[in-house]
């Protein structure tokens, strides 16, 4: 056992052996943090004699949790089923199901995804007579999510009722939405953590029970935690406070989904006698690549100081390439993929093209298609969000949770079985008049005198299947149940018989779903020594993302946003569109903290590369129907001004009329305060009028209406008075 710990560097070993009290491990990109967490867990169990059941390890992805379990077993023969290992949502879900008697729900509650939420909100809007133009569904759903991540239920924001039309109606929507969720015995994704925290804060006995269980707490990717996650871990780690948080504030890129960077920045201030350990030895990238990353991130002021180092030498210098347009940029990327792949014998899946926004993938895709090169958009449409897959999942949810009215309405006539809108309305009215659930109204269809004999027959057949599936689900595993449901409704057979290629493709997806169920059963059986039932499978599926299904064995070029690239690594990385307005994004120009997050985004992108790194920007880029001139990102200027690399090592296109100094023009200090109505001049867009301003000093952003008809938000440093 001692030999295994010799594989660690001194900083990793210190993190492994520092077990008591609060520990902050600042783990830089590629510094082996996963290995450190695994070895620390093994050390607690094998050397400190801690019961595995008393260890809680929280990861941010299901894939990371699975990898941790696998490596604990393969390296140290530790049975992962004895540990509490999983994402925040999976741990909280396990706790909620166990303690459901203290919640508004039954133990078989359903988890609603984004589509389920929107469908429920539409019904709420109809009931409350809400205008969708005034309250866009997506905006309201996002605001509900934000409030829940701030630990605020409808009753907690009633004081906002008197603060305008929008707040008053939002509270009505939020209140009714939450009421409907409870009526359907369902929760949305944010409820899982919210109700867990609510339970622990309001029930001292339950809190004490889990504090007694969790003697040692480890949190991975701590820089990505939000308010609720911070409060949860703070509560559960008491009173011993043996909490170890691992993360990197330089990779905090998720503020838009509620992550609070201050959780990691202030950890040592909030926890007295914190031991801080820095993992700065990088095992992924070459010295040349890390040189760029270090120079870039030093420009951020809100961070824990750290400097990544590497022993990996490389003959491949990072390349900065300026192209004429987004089309030539895409062609350049594809040409380099073909050239490098051939010269250095790299596979297509060794390459990744990273971009700030999803829309940037189109030109790259077009160029790859033109050369017949396969590609995968990582983190695109979630496999489990495909219509045919959601249909089968809806069947499973209804089997488990009879109160899931949304699910019942989805499956009652899918596939088509002669139960139309008139019949469904009649069943709904029967349920309302008898004050029973929609599910019970289906089961008691023979009592519904308003239905035709044909309709009663169709509904009776459906209800009989429901009864049988629910009975079978008590003693057959999830794989067997999925096969039975798909067979009983002839779903796969109908899709396969169609001559429509789209339906044939859906059939292939159904087969893949069956295969994924089989794989889940095998892995669950191995980890838990017991068969998984429908509840276990749905718990897993409800928390999956498409990134959890990312297959590195597929030989295709990887296209993905920088946000989706976090945690991944590739031999060759192209970061495209490094321009003002894209990276940093236009929406992030108002405040310095947002600029710093954009800088962290580029830092994350750079540190995904192992051997080859290409940074590109275009002189012109088409936006909507217009082609506009583009400015190189200020971040490129920061690298260019501060890096020790000679200009000959940065590849630029031959253009004697335009020297590199011009491309990295330094903005003038702000000397004038601009007021709405004043005319300004911008070197790219020309003359315009200031409409409004936001921020102060060098961070001020002006909203400008240009004479060309364009409306832009631009930092005050880049305009001049007329």
């Amino acid at each position: 056992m001692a030999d295994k710990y010799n594989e660690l560097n001194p900083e990793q070993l210190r993190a492994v052996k520092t077990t008591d009290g609060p520990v902050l491990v600042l783990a830089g990109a590629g510094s082996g943090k996963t290995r450190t967490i695994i070895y620390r867990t093994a050390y607690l169990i094998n050397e400190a004699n801690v019961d595995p059941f008393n260890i809680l390890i929280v990861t941010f992805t299901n894939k990371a949790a699975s990898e941790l379990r696998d490596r604990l077993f393969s390296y140290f023969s530790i049975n992962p089923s004895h540990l509490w290992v999983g994402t925040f949502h999976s741990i909280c879900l396990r706790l909620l199901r166990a303690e459901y008697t203290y919640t508004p729900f039954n133990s078989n509650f359903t988890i609603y995804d984004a589509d389920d939420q929107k469908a429920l909100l539409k019904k709420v809007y109809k009931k409350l007579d809400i205008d969708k133009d005034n309250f866009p569904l997506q905006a309201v759903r996002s605001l509900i999510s934000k409030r829940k991540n701030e630990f605020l239920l409808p009753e907690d924001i009633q004081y906002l009722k008197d603060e305008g039309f929008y707040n008053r109606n939002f509270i009505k929507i939020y209140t009714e939405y939450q009421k409907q969720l409870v009526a359907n015995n369902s929760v949305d994704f944010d409820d899982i953590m919210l109700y867990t925290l609510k339970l622990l804060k309001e029930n001292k006995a339950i809190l004490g029970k889990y504090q007694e269980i969790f003697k040692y707490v480890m949190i991975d990717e701590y820089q990505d935690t939000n308010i609720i996650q911070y409060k949860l871990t703070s509560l559960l780690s008491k009173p011993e406070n043996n909490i170890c948080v691992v993360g990197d504030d330089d990779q905090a890129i998720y503020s838009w989904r509620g992550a609070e960077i201050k959780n990691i920045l202030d950890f040592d201030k909030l926890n007295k006698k914190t031991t801080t350990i820095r993992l700065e030895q990088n095992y992924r990238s070459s010295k040349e690549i890390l040189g760029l990353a270090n120079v870039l991130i030093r420009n951020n002021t809100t961070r824990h100081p750290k400097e990544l180092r590497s022993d990996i030498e490389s003959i491949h210098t990072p390349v900065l390439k300026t192209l004429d347009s987004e089309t030539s940029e895409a062609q350049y990327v594809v040409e380099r993929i073909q050239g490098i792949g051939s010269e250095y014998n790299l596979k297509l899946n060794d390459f990744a093209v990273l971009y700030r926004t999803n829309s940037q993938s189109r030109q790259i895709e077009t160029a790859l298609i033109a050369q017949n090169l396969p590609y995968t958009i990582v983190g695109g449409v979630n496999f489990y969000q495909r219509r045919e897959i959601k249909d089968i999942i809806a069947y499973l949810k209804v089997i488990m949770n009879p109160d899931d009215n949304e699910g019942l309405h989805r499956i009652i006539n899918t596939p088509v079985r002669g139960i139309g809108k008139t019949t469904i309305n009649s069943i709904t009215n029967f349920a309302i008049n008898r004050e029973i659930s929609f599910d019970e109204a289906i089961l008691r269809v023979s009592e519904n005198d308003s239905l035709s004999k044909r309709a009663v027959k169709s509904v009776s057949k459906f209800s009989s299947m429901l009864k049988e599936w629910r009975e079978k689900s008590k003693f057959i595993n999830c794989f067997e149940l999925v096969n039975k449901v798909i067979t009983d409704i002839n779903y796969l057979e109908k899709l396969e018989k169609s001559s429509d290629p789209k339906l044939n493709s859906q059939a292939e997806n159904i087969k893949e779903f069956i295969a994924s169920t089989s794989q889940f059963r095998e892995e669950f059986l191995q980890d838990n020594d017991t068969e998984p039932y429908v509840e276990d499978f749905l718990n897993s599926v409800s928390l999956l993302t498409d990134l959890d299904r990312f297959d590195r064995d597929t030989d295709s070029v990887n296209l993905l946003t920088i946000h989706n690239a976090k945690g991944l690594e590739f031999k060759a990385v192209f970061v495209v569109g490094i321009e003002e307005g894209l990276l940093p994004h236009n929406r992030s120009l108002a405040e310095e903290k947002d600029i710093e997050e954009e800088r962290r985004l580029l830092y994350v992108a750079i540190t995904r590369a192992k051997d080859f790194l290409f940074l590109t920007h275009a002189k012109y880029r088409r936006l909507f129907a217009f082609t506009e001139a583009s400015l190189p990102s200020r971040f490129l200027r920061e690298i260019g001004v501060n890096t020790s690399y000679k200009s000959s090592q940065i590849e630029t296109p031959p253009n004697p009329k335009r020297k590199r100094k011009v491309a990295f023009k330094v903005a003038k200090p702000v000397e004038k305060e601009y007021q709405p109505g004043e005319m300004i001049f911008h070197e790219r867009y020309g003359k315009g009028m200031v409409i409004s301003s936001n921020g102060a000093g060098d961070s001020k952003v002006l909203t400008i209406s240009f004479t060309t008809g364009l409306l832009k938000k631009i930092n005050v440093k880049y305009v001049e008075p007329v």
Side-chain angles (χ1 to χ4, degrees):
M1 184 65 68
D3 292 341
K4 286 186 178 291
Y5 295 111
N6 290 335
E7 300 172 4
L8 303 174
N9 68 38
E11 292 91 351
Q12 290 174 331
L13 187 60
R14 185 176 171 223
V16 165
K17 292 188 174 182
T18 307
T19 57
D20 294 333
V23 181
L24 171 62
V25 179
L26 295 169
S31 63
K33 70 178 178 65
T34 303
R35 165 183 278 208
T36 303
I37 293 171
I38 291 166
Y39 277 67
R40 191 175 192 272
T41 305
Y43 185 86
L44 283 170
I45 295 169
N46 294 330
E47 307 299 328
N49 297 316
V50 177
D51 188 327
F53 189 67
N54 295 134
I55 300 174
L56 169 64
I57 307 172
V58 184
T59 64
F60 255 80
T61 66
N62 297 288
K63 195 168 186 176
S66 179
E67 180 186 357
L68 197 147
R69 291 191 198 96
D70 292 344
R71 287 168 67 176
L72 275 173
F73 184 75
S74 60
Y75 287 12
F76 297 100
S77 300
I78 292 173
N79 188 337
S81 66
H82 298 155
L83 290 155
W84 289 72
V85 182
T87 62
F88 271 105
H89 287 93
S90 66
I91 296 293
C92 289
L93 186 58
R94 179 176 171 183
L95 195 151
L96 277 183
R97 294 234 189 253
E99 311 297 343
Y100 73 92
T101 54
Y102 301 98
T103 75
F105 312 100
N106 297 329
S107 63
N108 59 349
F109 59 80
T110 297
I111 302 170
Y112 275 15
D113 63 18
D115 288 342
D116 297 327
Q117 289 176 264
K118 288 176 184 176
L120 185 59
L121 277 171
K122 285 178 182 177
K123 292 186 177 180
V124 170
Y125 278 34
K126 186 175 181 180
K127 181 176 180 179
L128 300 179
D129 194 24
I130 299 292
D131 186 348
K132 283 192 293 185
D133 292 334
N134 291 330
F135 297 88
L137 274 175
Q138 184 55 42
V140 169
R141 193 176 76 85
S142 296
L143 187 54
I144 288 174
S145 176
K146 183 181 180 186
R147 292 291 174 258
K148 289 186 177 184
N149 280 304
E150 293 169 344
F151 195 47
L152 296 171
L153 280 165
E155 56 266 29
D156 301 314
I157 57 172
Q158 292 298 314
Y159 68 91
L160 293 174
K161 271 186 177 180
D162 299 328
E163 296 191 14
F165 171 79
Y166 190 90
N167 283 327
R168 184 165 59 253
N169 282 279
F170 170 72
I171 291 171
K172 287 181 183 178
I173 295 168
Y174 188 10
T175 302
E176 183 62 27
Y177 169 77
Q178 210 60 24
K179 180 181 174 183
Q180 291 296 325
L181 278 176
V182 173
N184 288 343
N185 191 35
S186 300
V187 298
D188 63 27
F189 204 60
D190 298 309
D191 282 331
I192 296 171
M193 288 192 297
L194 183 147
Y195 278 106
T196 302
L197 180 57
K198 186 176 172 66
L199 171 64
L200 295 175
K201 285 176 74 73
E202 295 177 356
N203 194 311
K204 291 184 178 180
I206 296 297
L207 173 60
K209 171 183 173 180
Y210 287 97
Q211 286 177 332
E212 186 66 25
I213 293 173
F214 302 139
K215 300 291 187 184
Y216 291 86
V217 177
M218 278 184 273
I219 314 295
D220 192 13
E221 303 287 6
Y222 194 66
Q223 76 281 349
D224 296 332
T225 52
N226 61 24
I227 293 172
I228 284 189
Q229 290 161 344
Y230 161 73
K231 290 182 176 180
L232 277 169
T233 53
S234 296
L235 279 175
L236 291 172
S237 60
K238 299 291 188 294
E240 283 89 350
N241 208 27
N242 293 326
I243 179 170
C244 174
V245 301
V246 183
D248 181 9
D249 46 292
D250 289 336
Q251 297 185 72
I253 58 174
Y254 295 120
S255 66
W256 51 274
R257 68 182 189 194
E260 289 281 356
I261 191 174
K262 68 180 182 181
N263 290 348
I264 192 167
L265 291 176
D266 297 343
F267 182 83
D268 52 348
K269 300 183 188 74
L270 297 170
N271 294 274
K272 294 180 180 179
K273 298 182 180 180
T274 293
T275 301
T276 301
I277 301 166
R278 286 173 168 79
L279 304 185
E280 296 171 302
Q281 181 68 42
N282 179 284
Y283 296 95
R284 174 189 299 156
S285 306
S286 68
K287 290 180 178 180
E288 291 76 15
I289 291 171
L290 287 189
L292 283 181
N294 285 329
V295 166
L296 173 70
I297 205 63
R298 281 192 212 120
N299 289 277
N300 274 6
T301 57
T302 310
R303 63 187 292 256
H304 286 290
K306 67 188 80 67
E307 190 89 358
L308 293 184
R309 59 185 184 272
S310 173
D311 296 330
I312 302 171
E313 301 282 356
S314 176
I315 61 171
H316 310 299
T317 303
V319 173
L320 169 62
K321 185 74 173 177
T322 304
L323 287 309
D324 286 332
S325 67
E326 73 271 25
T327 303
S328 55
E329 180 182 53
Q331 290 170 347
Y332 170 78
V333 168
V334 173
E335 287 169 6
R336 296 309 295 137
I337 288 173
Q338 291 175 313
I340 294 171
S342 176
E343 184 175 354
Y344 296 97
N345 197 29
L346 298 186
K347 298 177 181 177
L348 290 178
N349 62 12
D350 289 325
F351 293 92
V353 184
L354 310 185
Y355 36 80
R356 175 64 176 83
T357 64
N358 282 303
S359 61
Q360 290 172 258
S361 73
R362 183 182 65 83
Q363 287 289 348
I364 308 293
E365 290 181 67
T366 301
L368 288 167
I369 291 169
Q371 296 299 318
N372 293 314
L373 293 178
Y375 63 89
T376 299
I377 298 180
V378 182
V381 178
N382 190 319
F383 175 78
Y384 294 98
Q385 293 300 314
R386 290 174 168 85
R387 191 184 75 177
E388 61 276 11
I389 304 303
K390 282 179 68 68
D391 288 343
I392 303 302
I393 289 175
Y395 271 96
L396 301 180
K397 286 181 176 180
V398 167
I399 290 169
M400 187 182 81
N401 177 18
D403 293 324
D404 185 2
N405 290 329
E406 296 303 314
L408 270 167
H409 277 85
R410 183 183 186 106
I411 68 172
I412 192 169
N413 198 40
T414 303
V416 175
R417 54 173 64 92
I419 304 175
K421 286 185 178 180
T422 302
T423 301
I424 293 171
N425 288 337
S426 177
I427 297 171
T428 301
N429 291 332
F430 181 81
I432 292 170
N433 293 333
R434 299 293 178 94
E435 296 185 342
I436 58 176
S437 69
F438 188 65
D439 181 80
E440 189 175 347
I442 291 172
L443 299 177
R444 291 169 55 180
V445 66
S446 59
E447 302 174 30
N448 192 334
D449 297 331
S450 65
L451 291 175
S452 66
K453 289 183 179 179
R454 183 178 178 182
V456 169
K457 183 178 179 181
S458 296
V459 177
S460 294
K461 185 178 179 181
F462 174 66
S463 67
S464 295
M465 287 192 293
L466 269 182
K467 289 177 188 175
E468 183 184 4
W469 294 330
R470 284 173 179 158
E471 190 60 36
K472 293 275 188 183
S473 70
K474 297 174 184 177
F475 55 85
I476 65 174
N477 65 53
C478 59
F479 175 62
E480 293 172 325
L481 182 64
V482 165
N483 271 297
K484 177 165 180 57
V485 170
I486 291 173
T487 301
D488 287 353
I489 64 176
N490 296 320
Y491 201 9
L492 186 58
E493 184 180 347
K494 290 178 180 178
L495 293 174
E496 285 182 319
K497 284 183 177 179
S498 173
S499 58
D500 185 344
K502 184 178 178 181
L503 296 182
N504 297 153
S505 176
Q506 290 178 0
E508 293 302 314
N509 288 334
I510 294 288
K511 290 177 184 177
E512 173 63 20
F513 180 76
I514 295 171
S516 72
T517 315
S518 175
Q519 181 182 353
F520 171 81
R521 179 192 171 233
E522 291 173 7
E523 292 174 355
F524 188 94
L525 199 55
Q526 181 179 337
D527 290 344
N528 300 279
D529 298 322
T530 184
E531 288 280 4
Y533 293 95
V534 62
E535 178 183 312
D536 301 307
F537 180 64
L538 286 176
N539 285 348
S540 173
V541 167
S542 297
L543 305 180
L544 278 179
T545 68
D546 214 45
L547 292 179
D548 292 313
R549 293 176 52 80
F550 177 42
D551 184 5
R552 287 303 302 268
D553 294 330
T554 302
D555 194 24
S556 58
V557 178
N558 300 287
L559 308 185
L560 60 169
T561 64
I562 302 172
H563 284 103
N564 282 336
K566 189 163 171 290
L568 303 176
E569 60 181 42
F570 305 90
K571 289 184 179 179
V573 169
F574 294 81
V575 189
V576 300
I578 311 180
E579 300 149 24
E580 288 293 306
L582 278 176
L583 187 61
H585 197 276
N586 271 328
R587 291 194 304 267
S588 302
L589 299 176
E591 297 185 50
E592 187 58 34
K593 67 180 180 64
D594 296 326
I595 294 290
E596 291 209 352
E597 180 151 333
E598 293 290 302
R599 190 178 286 112
R600 290 194 293 268
L601 259 180
L602 181 55
Y603 174 83
V604 166
I606 289 172
T607 53
R608 300 310 94 195
K610 298 173 74 174
D611 301 317
F612 299 88
L613 175 66
F614 295 84
L615 309 176
T616 70
H617 69 92
K619 297 177 186 176
Y620 299 92
R621 190 171 295 273
R622 179 176 290 275
L623 296 173
F624 305 108
F626 303 97
T627 297
E628 299 181 4
S630 298
L631 287 175
S633 169
R634 68 192 70 186
F635 303 146
L636 293 180
R637 182 171 68 247
E638 291 168 0
I639 294 172
V641 169
N642 296 305
T643 184
S644 59
Y645 301 136
K646 297 176 182 177
S647 58
S648 60
Q649 292 176 291
I650 303 293
E651 183 182 337
T652 55
N655 188 348
K657 295 181 181 179
R658 185 175 181 181
K659 295 182 179 179
R660 187 168 174 269
K661 284 183 179 178
V662 178
F664 295 105
K665 177 182 176 183
V666 179
K668 301 174 184 177
V670 177
E671 298 175 353
K672 176 174 172 54
E673 291 291 329
Y674 293 93
Q675 300 298 325
E678 285 193 54
M679 296 301 294
I680 58 86
F681 177 79
H682 185 274
E683 64 179 9
R684 191 194 320 180
Y685 303 119
K687 290 183 180 180
M689 184 195 306
V690 176
I691 303 299
S692 63
S693 63
N694 186 26
D698 286 356
S699 297
K700 178 178 281 191
V701 173
L702 305 177
T703 301
I704 303 167
S705 176
F706 288 96
T707 54
T708 58
L710 289 174
L711 190 67
K712 290 284 184 182
K713 289 181 181 285
I714 295 177
N715 188 285
V716 69
K717 291 184 287 188
Y718 298 101
V719 302
E720 297 176 354
V722 175

